[in-house]
Amino acid sequence: MNKTANVTLTLPDGSVRTYPGPVTGSTLAADIGPGLAKAAIVIVVNGEQWDLARKIEQDSDVTIITNRDEAALEILRHDAAHILAEAVKKLYPDVQVTIGPAIDNGFYYDFARKIPFTTDDLVIIEKHMVEIIERDEDIIRSEMDRDDAIKFFRDMGEDYKAELIAAIPEGQTITLYRQGDFIDLCRGPHLPSTGRLGKDCFKLMKVAGAYWRGDSNNEMLQRIYGTAWRTKKELKAYLTRLEEAEKRDHRKIGKQMKLFHFQEEAAGMPFWHPNGWTIYQQVEAYIRRKQKKYDYQEIKTPQLVDRVLWEKSGHWEKFREHMYTTESDSRNLALKPMNCPCHVQVFNQGIVSYRDLPLRLAEFGSCHRYEPSGALHGLMRVRSFVQDDAHIFCSKDQITSETEIFCKMLMEVYEDFGFTDIKVKFSDRPEIRAGLDITWDEAENCLLEAVNSTGLDYTLNPGEGAFYGPKLEFVLTDAIGRDWQCGTLQVDFVLPERLDASYIGSDNGKHRPVMLHRAILGSFERFIGILIEEHAGRFPLWLAPTQVVVTGITSDQDDHVRKVYEQLKAAGLRAEMDLRSEKINYKIREHSHAKTPAIFVVGAREQEENTVTVRRLGSKQQQTLDLSAAINVLKLESLAPDQR
RNA sequence: GCCGCUGUAGCUCAGUGGUAGAGCGCGUCAUUGGUAAUGACGAGGCCGGAAGUUCAAUUCUUCCCAGCGGCACCA
C-alpha cells in the first residue's frame, strides 16, 4: 500500500475530512473540536467499532461515539470489567482470569480461584479499581499470532485464557489489550484510558458462582458482578430503581398482605391464604369465561398416573428426574408434571370425526415437578402449580386458523390484565428431541406459516423448542420494564403418534390429529406473582382481596356501619368493617397500608344523611356520596374487564 | 443440583460461651376521636434441625433442612 495515500473520512452529516495518511479517531475528534475530543469514546469505522487510537488507513465512513451515546455504555462496562480483572489480579495473584463481558446494566468477570471472594473483598477490590481509574492508564490494543498468544497466556499461568484462544477459529485476528502491566485477551474496543470510566459511576454488586463456559459439568468459577454508568446520576438512578423493584417483590408483599406462605415441609409449594386465594379465584373465573367464549371445553384429569403412560409419551425418558413418583397396588405412579398425555386419553375415548375438530380441551391442571432446589423462587418458580392449560386437537390445515384465534384470545387476556407490550419468540427444534427430522420440518413450517399469518412480529429463539415440537412464546413487559414469558403455543405431531390418537376423516379413513399445546397465563402461581409486582400490591378493584372497608368515626355509628357493610356484601362486593375503638387517623393509616382500594367512613353526619365519605387508595381526597351511589360506583368498577 | 451468604417473638431486626432484647403487631383496660400512629399495662421464643467440643452452646465445629443472591435447569 502507498504510505502517502490520502485517507478521506466521511462523517454522518456528509462532511468530509481528508488526511495525508493514516489517521486515528482521536486525531479526527480533536480536529473537529476539543469538546468532542474529550467526549469521544470509540469511532465506528464502516460499521465496525474501533479504538480511537487505532490507525484508519483507508477511506471510510465514520461516526464518533461519545459518552452521550447509548452505545457508550457497553464499552464503558466492558472497560469496567477489565479494570475489575486488573484489580483482582493485583490483589489476589493466585487467581486466573477468564471472561468478563458487559451485560444489561453492568458487567461481570469470572475468576478461577480456590477461595471464594467475600463481600469484604468487594470493598477492597472496589477501592483498588478507583486507584486504577485515577492512574488513568492508556488502554493499548495489539495483535498477536494465535500460537504466540496461547503460549503467552499459558506462560503467565492463565490456562483459561489459553483455552479461549485455542477455541477461536483459525485465521481470526487475536487482539490483546494492555492497561499498565495488565494484559487481557479481548475483542475490544475499549476506552482510550482507564480514567474515562468515572470512579463514582460504578459499583461492585455481588459475588456468585458460575460454571466455566456455562456448563454444569465444568468447574465453578467465582463471578463478581458490577454495575457501571456514564454518570454518577445514572448510577444513583439505577440503584434507586433496584430499591423500588425490591419493594414490589411479591414474596415481601405476599407476606405483608397475607396472600400466601411457604414452609419447609412443602418447599416450593405455596399455601394460599384467603386474600391470595381470592385473587386466584378471580383470575381463574376470568380465564374460564374467556375459554367458554372461545369454545373450549373444560375437563379434569387424574393427579396420579401410571408410569407406563409417561413412558409412552416420552416424558419418562426425558424428565423422570423431575417427577414425583409413588407406588401403590404394585403400580408405579407419577404425579402428573403436565396434562397433555391425560388430555390425549380423553380424546381417545370413543371415535372422533373430522367434524368434531378442532376439539379444544382445557384444564386448570394441578401439576407437580421436582424442580432443582436452587431454582425455586417464590411464586415464580414452584414445585406445585396450576396451568391454564389446553390442547387443541385439529387437522394440519387448521393449524393456521387455530393459531390466529389463539393469538387474538391471548392478546385480549393480556390487555385485560393491563399488559400491552408483548413480544413473540419462535423457538425451533432443540438438540435433544423426539420425532423424525421430516416431522420437525413440517411442524416448524406449519407454525411459521401460522405466525406469519397473524401478522405479529417475532424473533427467532434457536434450539429452544419443546422436545416434541416447535413453539411460540409470548413475553410480556411489566410496569417496571421486566420481561416475563407467560403464554405459549406449541405444535406437536409427536404425542398424537406416540399415544395413538386418531380421527376419522371425510374420506372415511383414519388420520392423526395435530396437538396444539397452549397456555396464556402459564401458571396461575407465577402469573399472580407477576400481577403482585406489576401493581405493587395495589390491585385494581376486580382483583383486590378486600375491595372496601367500612368504618365509623365513633362507636355511636357501629350499628350503622354494620348496615352499610351488609349492603355492600349484598351488592356482591368484598367488604370488611372495622369497629375497633381506634381514632379515624389510625384506621385510615392502617387500611391504606393494607392497600385497601376504598375506605367508606360514616360519622354522625353521614349516618344522618345516609351518605358515606369515600377515600380511595393513593388519594388524600375524600368525597361524600349517597350510599347507593357510592355502592354503584364500586360495583361497576369491580367488574372484570371482560364483563364491562 | 453447584458456589456463596443467611436462619433469634406473628413481622422487621439487635445481641451474647453462663438458656435473650427492641419496634411494630397481638391481648386487656382507659379513651369516642372527622381522614396516614391515643395512652397505660400485659402475654409471646426448644435462638431452623441433629450430632460434636465444653463444667456450660442460641453463640464454636460438622452434617442436614429451608430461605436469599447467582450459575445450571425449566416438558
Side-chain angles (χ1 to χ4, degrees), chain A residues 439-489:
Chain A
T439 313
W440 275 89
D441 290 341
E442 195 177 6
E444 283 171 0
N445 287 336
C446 284
L447 188 57
L448 264 180
E449 194 181 307
V451 67
N452 282 329
S453 76
T454 63
L456 294 168
D457 283 334
Y458 62 89
T459 54
L460 191 67
N461 204 12
E464 295 294 317
F467 77 92
Y468 47 69
K471 60 185 181 184
L472 294 182
E473 287 173 336
F474 300 87
V475 179
L476 54 84
T477 305
D478 73 11
I480 56 171
R482 290 170 306 180
D483 283 350
W484 301 97
Q485 195 245 298
C486 294
T488 181
L489 174 74

Side-chain angles (χ1 to χ4, degrees), chain A residues 125-191:
Chain A
I125 295 167
E126 206 172 277
K127 264 194 198 129
H128 200 78
M129 287 174 72
V130 170
E131 280 172 33
I132 293 168
I133 291 167
E134 282 173 342
R135 227 188 295 139
D136 196 16
E137 300 278 5
D138 285 343
I139 302 174
I140 301 154
R141 179 180 186 276
S142 62
E143 295 182 6
M144 199 182 259
D145 176 73
R146 209 183 126 86
D147 292 339
D148 291 347
I150 292 173
K151 187 173 183 307
F152 177 75
F153 281 105
R154 192 144 283 155
D155 288 349
M156 278 201 298
E158 298 285 3
D159 300 330
Y160 291 89
K161 281 288 176 197
E163 192 180 325
L164 285 174
I165 297 167
I168 295 175
E170 300 262 3
Q172 205 167 306
T173 317
I174 296 190
T175 54
L176 304 181
Y177 280 81
R178 173 200 294 276
Q179 57 199 46
D181 52 8
F182 175 74
I183 300 179
D184 202 354
L185 165 76
C186 185
R187 195 178 295 126
H190 277 282
L191 300 173

Side-chain angles (χ1 to χ4, degrees), chain A residues 51 69 81 152 158 193 215 254 266 289 348 367 431 465 584 632 644:
Chain A
D51 303 287
D69 290 307
F152 177 75
E158 298 285 3
S193 65
D215 185 337
R289 289 194 299 273
N348 282 353
C367 298
E431 259 176 59
I584 191 65
N632 277 333
R644 284 176 197 157

Side-chain angles (χ1 to χ4, degrees), chain A residues 11 27 46 114 138 146 173 176 194 226 240 294 311 322 331 347 449 452 490 500 556 566 612:
Chain A
L11 290 149
T27 308
N46 299 324
K114 288 191 191 72
D138 285 343
R146 209 183 126 86
T173 317
L176 304 181
T194 58
T240 308
Y294 279 89
E311 284 169 351
H322 301 286
R331 274 180 182 277
F347 180 89
E449 194 181 307
N452 282 329
Q490 304 164 10
D500 196 24
D556 292 344
E566 289 302 334
V612 289

Side-chain angles (χ1 to χ4, degrees), chain A residues 545-615:
Chain A
T546 297
Q547 295 170 318
V548 51
V549 168
V550 199
T551 192
I553 297 290
T554 75
S555 54
D556 292 344
Q557 290 91 46
D558 282 2
D559 283 342
H560 186 63
V561 167
R562 284 192 191 92
K563 276 185 210 150
V564 172
Y565 165 73
E566 289 302 334
Q567 286 190 53
L568 285 165
K569 276 211 306 187
L573 289 160
R574 296 189 288 275
E576 300 288 340
M577 56 182 169
D578 185 349
L579 298 176
R580 293 173 304 171
S581 68
E582 298 291 350
K583 288 188 176 176
I584 191 65
N585 286 300
Y586 179 89
K587 290 189 283 195
I588 293 292
R589 177 182 151 90
E590 192 163 83
H591 296 301
S592 299
H593 277 309
K595 303 176 171 62
T596 308
I599 304 170
F600 282 11
V601 177
V602 288
R605 203 165 58 234
E606 287 85 350
Q607 179 170 358
E608 180 70 24
E609 298 165 351
N610 201 29
T611 57
V612 289
T613 298
V614 182
R615 181 174 167 135

Side-chain angles (χ1 to χ4, degrees), chain A residues 489-507:
Chain A
L489 174 74
Q490 304 164 10
V491 176
D492 184 359
F493 291 166
V494 175
L495 260 193
E497 176 81 33
R498 291 198 165 197
L499 299 177
D500 196 24
S502 63
Y503 67 92
I504 307 298
S506 58
D507 58 358

